[in-house]
Amino acid sequence: MEPLNVEHAGRTLRGVLHLPHPHPSPAPAVVLCHGLGGNRIGWGNDFVLLSRLLAAQGIACYRFDFAAFGESDGDPLDFSVSDQVSQLKAVLAQLERNRAVAPDRISVLGFSMGALVAVLAAGDRRLRSLALWAPAGGPLNLPFWESFRDEIREHGRADYNGIEFGDAFIDDLRGIDQFAAARRHEGPVLLAGGTEDGLMRDELIDPYREAWGDRLEQHWIEGMGHGFGSLANRDRMFEAALAFLSRTV
C-alpha cells in the first residue's frame, strides 16, 4: 500500500494504491468509489479489506476520497455528481500513466453514489468492467433532494444525516442521464445489492437490465438493506465482487 494523490481543479484528492506482491508488471487494477458521505476507508473498513483481497488475487486496487470527503480538499457546498465524475476520470487518467498498472485493464467498483458516478464515467470513456453496489438513483430521486431547498435558503446549506451539501448538488442532478451513459458502456457489469434496499427497486434497475442485457450479472442478498447490516452479508458482497472482477478486469 502506497500513497497516491491526484490533483484535480486545484484540489488534492488523497488516495492509496494497493499493489500485489509479487505482482505482474503491469497489473490489472480496480478503482473503488465510495458513496455519499463516505471515504476511502469504507464503512466498517470494507474498502480496505476489499483492496487487500483484490491484491491477493493479483489485482491492483486504488481507493481515494472524493473532494470534500475524507481527507481530500474541497468545499462540501461545491459537491455534485458531475464533479465527482470529473474527479474519477482524472484518477483513471493518472492510473493509466502509472507503470505498475496495465492501462487497458482498469475496472471500477462503486457503492451507492459512487456506483452512479462509475456508470456516468463509463459512458464517457472505456472501462474494462463495472461492479455496482446499489447505485444511487440520480435524477429519479430529485423530488426527495428538492425538499432540502428551503433549508439551503435559510441556512446556506442542507444537512442530510450529518452530510453537508448545497444547491450545486441538486441543480446538477437535473442534467444527469445515467441510463444513456449505461448504454455507451460495452463491457461486463455486476449489479449487486439487497432485496430490502430501496435503491434496488425495479424502476431504478430495469433500465440497466435493458441497457446491458446478457452482459449484466445480478447478485441479490435476501433481507439486506442499503448497508451490509452484518459480516455475513459483507462477505457475500465481497465474494460476488471478487469472483466477477477476477474474470473481467
Side-chain angles (χ1 to χ4, degrees):
M1 186 180 78
E2 58 187 53
L4 179 62
N5 297 335
V6 175
E7 299 302 318
H8 178 269
R11 302 165 299 192
T12 298
L13 309 179
R14 293 176 173 84
V16 293
L17 177 64
H18 295 250
L19 291 173
H21 294 289
H23 67 85
S25 185
V30 175
V31 177
L32 304 185
C33 296
H34 65 76
L36 177 63
N39 57 60
R40 67 180 185 263
I41 303 297
W43 288 325
N45 213 38
D46 55 296
F47 272 12
V48 176
L49 298 173
L50 182 59
S51 297
R52 292 170 179 166
L53 291 170
L54 285 164
Q57 291 195 3
I59 301 171
C61 190
Y62 182 69
R63 51 188 178 85
F64 72 103
D65 297 328
F66 281 111
F69 296 99
E71 295 183 315
S72 289
D73 298 343
D75 186 336
L77 297 183
D78 295 331
F79 156 66
S80 72
V81 171
S82 293
D83 185 40
Q84 289 197 341
V85 174
S86 180
Q87 293 169 50
L88 174 56
K89 289 192 285 188
V91 164
L92 292 166
Q94 180 153 322
L95 280 182
E96 287 174 338
R97 297 190 296 268
N98 191 306
R99 293 183 179 180
V101 172
D104 60 343
R105 297 187 64 188
I106 300 177
S107 298
V108 176
L109 181 150
F111 168 64
S112 193
M113 193 73 73
L116 173 63
V117 169
V119 172
L120 294 167
D124 290 341
R125 47 113 59 230
R126 182 183 179 278
L127 290 173
R128 187 82 166 202
S129 61
L130 286 175
L132 309 175
W133 288 352
L140 297 181
N141 288 338
L142 187 57
F144 169 76
W145 295 110
E146 284 282 7
S147 67
F148 288 91
R149 290 286 195 184
D150 290 341
E151 184 178 341
I152 294 172
R153 280 192 289 268
E154 182 175 355
H155 302 290
R157 65 179 185 178
D159 178 352
Y160 171 68
N161 291 336
I163 302 167
E164 181 181 11
F165 65 93
D167 284 321
F169 169 64
I170 303 174
D171 293 341
D172 176 67
L173 286 179
R174 296 182 179 279
I176 288 174
D177 188 343
Q178 67 266 41
F179 304 124
R183 290 190 290 271
R184 295 193 294 272
H185 171 66
E186 298 179 350
V189 182
L190 170 70
L191 180 60
T195 59
E196 301 305 310
D197 186 348
L199 291 181
M200 296 292 284
R201 61 187 188 271
D202 286 342
E203 64 264 33
L204 299 180
I205 299 304
D206 280 348
Y208 287 134
R209 295 184 175 117
E210 181 179 351
W212 293 319
D214 59 9
R215 291 182 289 116
L216 176 64
E217 297 182 27
Q218 298 183 65
H219 184 81
W220 295 81
I221 296 181
E222 188 68 33
M224 188 177 81
H226 194 53
F228 295 142
S230 71
L231 294 177
N233 288 342
R234 183 202 68 185
D235 291 345
R236 292 186 186 102
M237 293 287 277
F238 280 5
E239 289 169 7
L242 290 166
F244 172 79
L245 290 167
S246 66
R247 295 193 310 269
T248 63
V249 69

